[in-house]
Amino acid sequence: AQAGGGPNEEPGIETSERARARARLMMMMMAALLQLPEDALYLVLSYLDCVSLGRLSQVCRALYVFTKRDAVWRTVARQCLHSGLTRPGADLYPEIPLKERVKVSRNWARGRCTSDALLRWRTNLLPWIQLERDMLYLSQAAEIRAYHLRTNGRRLHKPLAVFSGHQEDVCQFVVTDTHLISAGGDGKIIARHRWSPLVVEYCGHMQEVNCIDCLGRVMVSGSRDRTARVWTLSSERLGECAHTIATYDRVWSVAISPSLSSFVTGTACCQNFAPLRMWDTERGQLVTHLGGPFRRGAGVLDVTFESPVLLLSCGYDTYIRYWDLRASSRKCVMEWEEPHDSALYCLQSNGSHMIASGSSYYGVVRLWDKRHARCLQSFQLSSSTSSPVYCLRFNASHLYAALATTLCALDFRGPVSRSGR
């Protein structure tokens, strides 16, 4: 009003006229924007960040409807910490709109969550968990229990199914599209077909089977008896061991490559052998050892493939390591150190930017961004006991962690706004 009006003009009138002029100009711009072809409009919106897209969606109903489309948010989602879009181009959660995943991903990056104990038990155990859509599988002593995950965040009570058969505790298990396969302290591997009563026992290890992995028709197990074994799930060779590999050290972890051509073993590093080695699946022969030298006792407790040429590992040496397995390099390309010098019992990657790890003391879970050298967020799930995080899994909005006496959950969905948007 001071810039445009004379001394006799009322400031309120001038201000309202300018506001109306701005509103008319904005409406003209929005009308022109909506008249663009859809491919051109997608290109324009691809230059906006998530905050700008959120504000644009509040301008009018037409833009609100248009900006709900996944194609509008795809560029932003690829830069988010945990949106479900992997580097190879897969979408982990296609049933959830990308706009909602971007909102939740901001909570992951900022550490905004609520914590709850879904289950408690009295005896100290070494539990293992797996997620499959809205089901959570949890090993407790010699049983595996299946629970339905509730969207309201309430605690779990009665399991939908209980799987037994081992004489001692279940060390690890894996859930595939067709089978639930468990490895136990009794040296047995039990494969249960999910859609039939067929149960097959694989015997061959002399001591407890510490780890198991299965992909396609190939299954690999690792044991305290210093061997790794390759098995097949084909109906013609059920229960038959294809290869027995002498590792000369206790095997703590195994992982099969997505290409099925090789697998990796992580051992205790108590002998004069590299703890991380890659083997040929078909021949059962050593392909190469990864890294070195490792100090004695720096065992590898968990390994996971992100792709046929990218591998993550962690263990007693307090490091997460990122390996490039291409024949021309086969080396560690990046590493992250646990800031409190604790052993890392488990990890999981979302195939893009985020890694979650579980530490050996006080139930500490950490989130890592591969684009940064330091830990992004840290959560202490247990202050009363020094339990390790034995296993963790996450989906689009929750992280589940298994401790010695508790199953904990971190909910990153955040509060729901009154408008529902």
Side-chain angles (χ1 to χ4, degrees):
Q2 294 176 357
N8 297 325
E9 294 185 16
E10 297 183 8
I13 297 177
E14 176 69 15
T15 302
S16 61
E17 289 179 354
R18 289 191 174 187
R20 286 194 294 269
R22 273 198 303 269
R24 286 194 298 268
L25 179 60
M26 184 65 68
M27 293 300 295
M28 292 172 61
M29 292 174 61
M30 290 302 104
L33 189 65
L34 291 171
Q35 288 176 3
L36 291 174
E38 285 195 353
D39 54 349
L41 188 53
Y42 283 135
L43 180 61
V44 171
L45 299 187
S46 68
Y47 291 95
L48 301 182
D49 58 16
C50 59
V51 176
S52 301
L53 283 173
R55 291 173 178 171
L56 185 65
S57 68
Q58 298 175 3
V59 171
C60 63
R61 182 171 181 81
L63 283 173
Y64 172 72
V65 173
F66 188 86
T67 53
K68 288 180 66 176
R69 301 182 184 182
D70 282 358
V72 174
W73 293 88
R74 195 166 300 277
T75 301
V76 173
R78 289 204 173 112
Q79 301 303 317
C80 289
L81 180 70
H82 181 48
S83 64
L85 299 182
T86 65
R87 288 184 178 178
D91 191 347
L92 300 179
Y93 318 112
E95 69 282 0
I96 306 175
L98 268 181
K99 180 180 179 179
E100 299 302 320
R101 283 186 266 167
V102 169
K103 290 181 179 180
V104 177
S105 180
R106 289 166 62 86
N107 293 334
W108 283 87
R110 297 175 180 181
R112 295 178 178 175
C113 65
T114 58
S115 176
D116 194 14
L118 300 184
L119 278 175
R120 295 184 185 274
W121 51 90
R122 295 182 178 180
T123 306
N124 286 343
L125 301 174
L126 278 73
W128 193 259
I129 56 176
Q130 293 287 358
L131 286 180
E132 186 193 41
R133 293 184 289 275
D134 60 346
M135 295 291 295
L136 183 143
Y137 296 82
L138 169 70
S139 66
Q140 291 183 290
E143 296 180 340
I144 300 173
R145 302 181 180 185
Y147 296 90
H148 177 71
L149 291 173
R150 304 180 180 183
T151 56
N152 56 11
R154 294 181 181 177
R155 296 185 178 183
L156 305 179
H157 294 288
K158 186 177 180 180
L160 296 179
V162 178
F163 305 94
S164 57
H166 287 281
Q167 302 302 314
E168 297 185 26
D169 288 1
V170 174
C171 298
Q172 273 192 22
F173 65 91
V174 61
V175 181
T176 70
D177 293 338
T178 56
H179 289 80
L180 189 153
I181 304 167
S182 57
D186 52 7
K188 293 182 180 180
I189 301 169
I190 299 179
R192 305 168 180 83
H193 199 284
R194 299 181 61 183
W195 317 119
S196 73
L198 178 64
V199 177
V200 179
E201 288 191 4
Y202 294 77
C203 302
H205 288 290
M206 305 303 295
Q207 298 183 41
E208 63 258 39
V209 186
N210 294 319
C211 49
I212 189 84
D213 194 18
C214 180
L215 194 60
R217 295 289 181 177
V218 179
M219 183 171 64
V220 177
S221 60
S223 172
R224 193 181 181 89
D225 64 5
R226 303 181 181 184
T227 64
R229 294 178 181 264
V230 182
W231 313 81
T232 178
L233 286 177
S234 62
S235 57
E236 299 82 8
R237 302 173 61 186
L238 279 178
E240 180 181 339
C241 176
H243 301 290
T244 299
I245 299 169
T247 60
Y248 305 102
D249 210 346
R250 291 168 291 176
V251 184
W252 291 133
S253 56
V254 295
I256 303 174
S257 168
S259 67
L260 299 178
S261 61
S262 62
F263 66 93
V264 169
T265 58
T267 57
C269 198
C270 292
Q271 303 297 329
N272 191 25
F273 296 96
L276 196 57
R277 283 174 279 178
M278 186 166 65
W279 309 83
D280 184 275
T281 304
E282 184 176 354
R283 301 178 182 179
Q285 298 177 352
L286 178 66
V287 176
T288 185
H289 64 268
L290 301 174
F294 290 87
R295 68 175 186 268
R296 183 179 176 83
V300 178
L301 295 176
D302 199 6
V303 287
T304 181
F305 276 93
E306 277 198 345
S307 73
V309 296
L310 293 174
L311 176 78
L312 282 162
S313 67
C314 69
Y316 284 116
D317 66 350
T318 75
Y319 279 90
I320 298 174
R321 289 190 168 88
Y322 201 34
W323 303 90
D324 185 346
L325 303 183
R326 284 172 287 197
S328 59
S329 55
R330 286 178 180 163
K331 63 181 180 180
C332 177
V333 294
M334 196 174 295
E335 60 184 24
W336 299 269
E337 184 179 11
E338 214 284 337
H340 290 166
D341 200 32
S342 300
L344 296 173
Y345 271 53
C346 55
L347 60 81
Q348 187 183 2
S349 168
N350 66 353
S352 182
H353 301 300
M354 189 179 78
I355 304 171
S357 66
S359 301
S360 59
Y361 293 109
Y362 299 105
V364 174
V365 170
R366 299 189 189 276
L367 301 184
W368 308 79
D369 190 333
K370 295 177 188 173
R371 297 165 291 188
H372 303 284
R374 295 185 179 182
C375 170
L376 182 65
Q377 299 293 340
S378 179
F379 310 92
Q380 186 174 346
L381 304 181
S382 174
S383 58
S384 58
T385 62
S386 60
S387 169
V389 178
Y390 289 109
C391 184
L392 60 81
R393 294 291 182 265
F394 57 75
N395 54 25
S397 58
H398 289 74
L399 185 147
Y400 302 92
L403 281 63
T405 59
T406 314
L407 174 66
C408 298
L410 297 177
D411 184 350
F412 291 88
R413 290 175 297 180
V416 179
S417 64
R418 293 181 182 178
S419 64
R421 295 187 180 182

